[in-house]
Amino acid sequence: MPGEHLLLFLWIVAKGKVLLEETVSLTPGTACVRTLAVPEGVEEKDISIQLTDREGETIIGYTWRPPFFADREKPEPRRPARKPEEIESPEELYLEGLHLEKYRHVTLRAEPYYLEGLRRDPGDSRCANAMGMLRMKQGRPREALSFFRTAVQRHLLRDPNPRDGELYFNLGWALEEIGDEEEAVRCYRKAAWNSGFKAAGLRQAAKAALRKGKWKEALSCLEEAFPNNAESPQISFLLSFVFRRLGRRENAELISSRMLSVDPLAYSLLAESWLLTGEEERLRSLCAVLGEREAAWRTLLSEYAEIGAWEDLLKLAAFAPPELLILLYQAYAAQKLDREQDTREFLRRAQASSLDRVFPYTDWDVRVLRCCRAGGLEARCDYLLGCLFYGRDSREEGIRLWQQAAEEGDLHQAHRCLALALMDEYGDLTGARCEMERAFRLEQAENAGKPQDGRYLLELLAVRKRCGEEPEKLLALLEQYPETVNRREDLAHQRLVLCNEAGHPEKTAEYLAARSFHPYEGGEGILIRAHMLAYVQLGRRAAAQGKLAEAVSC
């Protein structure tokens, strides 16, 4: 309880000798301070302090320990990745690629390592599976399919029932993406032969059955999967959904309440609980958990989309924030239900909604965006798909989609992304500057009269600087937008640097004196260097004019 006094015992020991033994009464937020003399020759490492309760259990204590590496060998610095042709074995090639994928290396890609492994051994299941996964992330399931088939074929070389179900599961995933659901379900069931993929394989088979309205087949899969992973929110959601559709309301309520006791934030179970009872309190709980987070709402909607529950999706989406992608999910569902008027209305609202802070990232986002390209949304959908694929390391596809978006709708967001990609990927500074200049003009026109966040100005400055533009001209660019520069720390820092580079240290000193800086600014040393350089230049100028006292003060 707040303010409660705790009766504890304080012990201070040095070299086995008790220096202090005292009963203390403590309250949270109140310090216990004791000062005492220690015998000669006692150092900090010899002292131990313990605070115990009546039963002798230590509440908190301090005993000196040597630094972690004092008696250990320091780890070797991580070695840079070798080129694929320098690596001896296919296994090392696979592990190197896996490492690059895991840590999202900035300049190196995993693909050349996997392909080199397959060049040496075309049937290597590890590299083939890894390449298949890369292609799936890049939205190229047909290419992934051949890699997954190669991996499965090697695993079946001596055993018709592989110990690991991952390869069959991934093969089923690729088949499902290209529309071959019957063969995909066969692969999912084959993956379920292995305990590690039993729940996942049967879950996907159940989803395929639900899309076809085969409730009993889906229930059979889920009841078999449930004991294998009883704490899976996805399996519990599917079970609750099936029971609700079959009219077994008590079973649905039991499954939902049990899972929510384990995971109170399970979106889909909260939604099922509301759809089952219609109680306002349960709807409020769902909306409180999801809030205004568009990505969380899309996660929920995609779970219903995966099983073809379009009516339920539309019911839930009515309470979601009207963000562009959520409107597209609604249009997609309305289209599946042959509601043409509703589809057109959702697409119209999506066309008028903002592209700011819209970040697609799931496979269902890809499917919805590709389906909703029609109706004047081609440019917006291509731009968002470009962002998704570029982020998944499919850089060429991302750039191609941004180019389409820039041609179709002249979107400043697409021109901006193209500029940065051309500069980073191809070193095309001329093309990057052309695109960034266009993006900046379009963004300025679109947001005329509104406060500018300055991001486009900062990026235009960076592109012009990379193109070798003179500091005087770069400074003139910033001085055209003083309010924006003053509002953003990074732009204000660049102004200081450019003032020095352009030979105007007096302006740097003026800005430094007039601006109030935050403690977190200048972590990279920009402010300190700008300050030093400005006053060094001012000092040299004063000395050259014979003003030695002024030079010394600088």
Side-chain angles (χ1 to χ4, degrees):
M1 295 293 291
E4 181 181 0
H5 287 256
L6 299 176
L7 196 62
L8 302 171
F9 301 95
L10 177 65
W11 305 77
I12 302 179
V13 181
K15 291 187 174 181
K17 181 180 179 181
V18 177
L19 300 182
L20 180 69
E21 181 180 352
E22 181 183 341
T23 302
V24 294
S25 179
L26 299 179
T27 58
T30 304
C32 175
V33 181
R34 297 292 182 271
T35 303
L36 63 157
V38 296
E40 189 176 349
V42 172
E43 300 177 8
E44 179 189 347
K45 64 181 180 180
D46 303 322
I47 297 175
S48 176
I49 304 172
Q50 302 290 328
L51 193 65
T52 64
D53 59 16
R54 293 176 181 177
E55 286 74 36
E57 292 289 332
T58 300
I59 305 299
I60 189 171
Y62 166 78
T63 301
W64 184 86
R65 295 281 186 273
F68 182 81
F69 287 112
D71 54 352
R72 294 178 173 87
E73 289 187 13
K74 293 184 179 179
E76 292 183 9
R78 185 169 295 280
R79 294 170 297 174
R82 292 174 289 170
K83 295 180 180 179
E85 58 271 17
E86 296 174 354
I87 296 176
E88 297 177 359
S89 68
E91 181 183 29
E92 288 180 89
L93 284 163
Y94 166 70
L95 292 174
E96 194 69 64
L98 204 62
H99 170 80
L100 295 175
E101 271 197 272
K102 180 179 178 181
Y103 293 101
R104 297 179 64 86
H105 199 283
V106 177
T107 57
L108 297 176
R109 297 186 184 183
E111 186 172 323
Y113 293 85
Y114 298 146
L115 290 177
E116 175 65 18
L118 289 171
R119 186 190 68 78
R120 299 182 194 181
D121 179 4
D124 188 287
S125 61
R126 297 161 303 186
C127 291
N129 184 57
M131 274 302 303
M133 292 298 291
L134 277 180
R135 291 292 182 258
M136 289 299 290
K137 290 176 186 176
Q138 295 166 356
R140 296 150 70 179
R142 293 189 183 278
E143 292 180 37
L145 193 60
S146 63
F147 287 112
F148 288 141
R149 288 195 190 281
T150 298
V152 168
Q153 189 175 4
R154 173 60 65 86
H155 260 232
L156 296 179
L157 191 63
R158 299 292 294 168
D159 188 353
N161 299 305
R163 180 168 106 172
D164 189 351
E166 180 188 3
L167 301 182
Y168 264 118
F169 183 88
N170 292 341
L171 179 58
W173 179 25
L175 288 164
E176 184 180 345
E177 286 295 313
I178 65 170
D180 191 350
E181 286 209 344
E182 187 176 339
E183 184 66 14
V185 169
R186 192 190 71 81
C187 290
Y188 286 140
R189 287 186 173 276
K190 190 71 174 177
W193 176 273
N194 161 242
S195 177
F197 277 83
K198 184 174 184 178
L202 290 169
R203 181 195 68 215
Q204 293 304 111
K207 288 180 180 180
L210 288 173
R211 286 193 291 272
K212 297 176 182 178
K214 298 180 178 179
W215 309 106
K216 292 185 179 179
E217 182 183 328
L219 183 59
S220 173
C221 289
L222 293 168
E223 287 179 336
E224 188 179 349
F226 187 74
N228 192 257
N229 192 357
E231 293 193 357
S232 165
Q234 284 193 327
I235 292 176
S236 295
F237 156 65
L238 294 171
L239 269 172
S240 179
F241 174 81
V242 172
F243 284 139
R244 176 168 64 86
R245 286 299 182 91
L246 292 174
R248 295 166 60 176
R249 300 177 65 84
E250 290 184 2
N251 297 92
E253 177 66 25
L254 180 65
I255 290 290
S256 294
S257 57
R258 178 196 167 277
M259 191 63 235
L260 286 171
S261 68
V262 176
D263 182 2
L265 303 180
Y267 307 156
S268 50
L269 272 302
L270 288 167
E272 273 304 300
S273 180
W274 172 65
L275 290 169
L276 180 66
T277 64
E279 295 176 5
E280 288 295 320
E281 182 61 34
R282 301 196 183 197
L283 176 60
R284 282 195 291 271
S285 297
L286 172 65
C287 292
V289 168
L290 296 175
E292 294 296 312
R293 296 178 296 136
E294 296 91 346
W297 279 101
R298 294 206 312 269
T299 298
L300 173 62
L301 298 181
S302 66
E303 293 203 42
Y304 282 91
E306 276 194 276
I307 55 179
W310 309 116
E311 292 280 5
D312 292 338
L313 187 155
L314 288 173
K315 284 181 185 177
L316 292 163
F319 302 98
E323 180 250 8
L324 188 149
L325 276 173
I326 289 174
L327 290 167
L328 293 183
Y329 269 84
Q330 290 173 289
Y332 187 87
Q335 186 182 60
K336 291 290 183 181
L337 293 169
D338 295 324
R339 298 180 184 174
E340 293 184 9
Q341 187 174 348
D342 289 344
T343 303
R344 286 195 296 271
E345 175 60 19
F346 287 129
L347 290 175
R348 184 194 65 78
R349 292 172 60 193
Q351 177 67 34
S353 63
S354 173
L355 276 169
D356 290 344
R357 289 177 284 279
V358 179
F359 302 110
Y361 64 95
T362 69
D363 290 339
W364 260 99
D365 291 343
V366 174
R367 189 173 301 185
V368 168
L369 285 166
R370 282 176 170 167
C371 179
C372 294
R373 286 187 74 252
L377 287 166
E378 292 87 349
R380 289 175 159 241
C381 290
D382 284 342
Y383 160 69
L384 293 172
L385 284 168
C387 293
L388 185 145
F389 286 121
Y390 195 87
R392 289 186 176 184
D393 206 29
S394 185
R395 308 289 174 84
E396 294 80 7
E397 179 67 6
I399 291 171
R400 184 187 70 79
L401 287 162
W402 285 333
Q403 286 173 333
Q404 282 186 194
E407 293 168 4
E408 293 159 346
D410 209 18
L411 296 176
H412 63 78
Q413 295 93 338
H415 285 289
R416 168 188 172 265
C417 290
L418 262 179
L420 300 178
L422 290 172
M423 187 166 61
D424 293 340
E425 288 298 307
Y426 303 116
D428 181 3
L429 297 181
T430 303
R433 177 162 183 173
C434 180
E435 293 292 342
M436 197 66 228
E437 297 281 359
R438 179 70 178 162
F440 183 72
R441 287 196 302 272
L442 290 170
E443 194 266 345
Q444 290 285 303
E446 182 177 305
N447 297 300
K450 302 177 185 176
Q452 305 293 311
D453 71 358
R455 181 183 62 184
Y456 278 59
L457 178 58
L458 179 68
E459 290 168 350
L460 176 62
L461 182 74
V463 172
R464 287 189 180 184
K465 187 180 285 189
R466 285 280 298 274
C467 291
E469 188 156 308
E470 297 173 1
E472 193 73 54
K473 292 182 179 180
L474 295 175
L475 183 59
L477 172 66
L478 292 185
E479 289 180 342
Q480 291 178 47
Y481 307 96
E483 292 183 7
T484 305
V485 172
N486 289 331
R487 194 163 48 247
R488 281 188 69 118
E489 288 94 350
D490 44 14
L491 283 171
H493 296 172
Q494 288 300 316
R495 179 174 59 186
L496 296 174
V497 172
L498 290 170
C499 283
N500 281 332
E501 291 179 355
H504 304 300
E506 68 283 353
K507 286 188 177 181
T508 305
E510 182 183 338
Y511 290 139
L512 285 168
R515 185 177 177 84
S516 296
F517 294 96
H518 300 286
Y520 58 79
E521 290 187 71
E524 298 174 352
I526 294 176
L527 294 179
I528 295 172
R529 286 196 297 272
H531 181 276
M532 291 174 61
L533 183 57
Y535 281 97
V536 166
Q537 289 187 68
L538 288 171
R540 286 175 177 172
R541 182 184 296 176
Q545 296 171 356
K547 301 175 182 178
L548 301 182
E550 184 179 331
V552 169
S553 68
C554 289

